């Protein structure tokens, strides 16, 4: 059996956990955003270009919505077919 070696702490800090708090069990709240240097960002609009309303035209927005709906329906149909096959097999074998 392997002998347990004593743990030796070398004193290095990997992550400062002083700002981390335990969440409240009874009163949930939104977590605070922690910014260590509290510096304003240079170009906030360049970080999320997809959120700019003037980027897409009405027709492009329509096709983006239809594409997302198509993807969701394809994924949902795979689950429906799989569940239908499971129910069919259960009915046939019982």
């Amino acid at each position: 059996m392997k002998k347990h070696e004593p743990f030796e702490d070398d004193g290095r800090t990997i992550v400062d956990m002083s700002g981390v708090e335990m969440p409240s069990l009874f009163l949930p709240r939104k977590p605070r955003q922690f910014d260590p240097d509290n510096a304003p960002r240079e170009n906030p609009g360049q970080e999320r270009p997809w959120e700019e309303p003037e980027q897409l035209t009405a027709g492009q927005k329509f096709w983006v919505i239809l594409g997302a709906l198509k993807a969701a329906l394809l994924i949902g149909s795979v689950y429906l077919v799989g569940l239908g096959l499971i129910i069919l097999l259960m009915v046939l074998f019982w």
Side-chain angles (χ1 to χ4, degrees):
M1 188 174 228
K2 187 175 179 181
K3 186 193 287 188
H4 293 286
E5 297 177 9
F7 175 72
E8 294 182 23
D9 188 11
D10 59 0
R12 292 184 289 177
T13 301
I14 306 229
V15 175
D16 181 24
M17 301 294 285
S18 62
V20 178
E21 298 175 356
M22 188 166 184
S24 174
L25 182 63
F26 300 110
L27 296 172
R29 60 184 168 194
K30 215 172 164 183
R32 290 185 283 169
Q33 296 294 329
F34 181 70
D35 193 5
D37 53 352
N38 291 328
R41 302 207 168 135
E42 298 277 327
N43 295 323
Q46 297 298 326
E47 293 178 9
R48 299 176 145 190
W50 58 87
E51 290 184 353
E52 296 178 10
E54 65 272 1
Q55 188 176 6
L56 296 175
T57 63
Q60 289 173 336
K61 286 180 186 178
F62 174 75
W63 289 110
V64 168
I65 291 170
L66 281 182
L69 184 62
K70 179 182 174 183
L73 289 175
L74 283 172
I75 293 171
S77 65
V78 170
Y79 280 105
L80 278 174
V81 168
L83 183 62
L85 287 175
I86 290 173
I87 291 174
L88 179 67
L89 288 174
M90 291 172 75
V91 167
L92 289 177
F93 288 117
W94 275 345

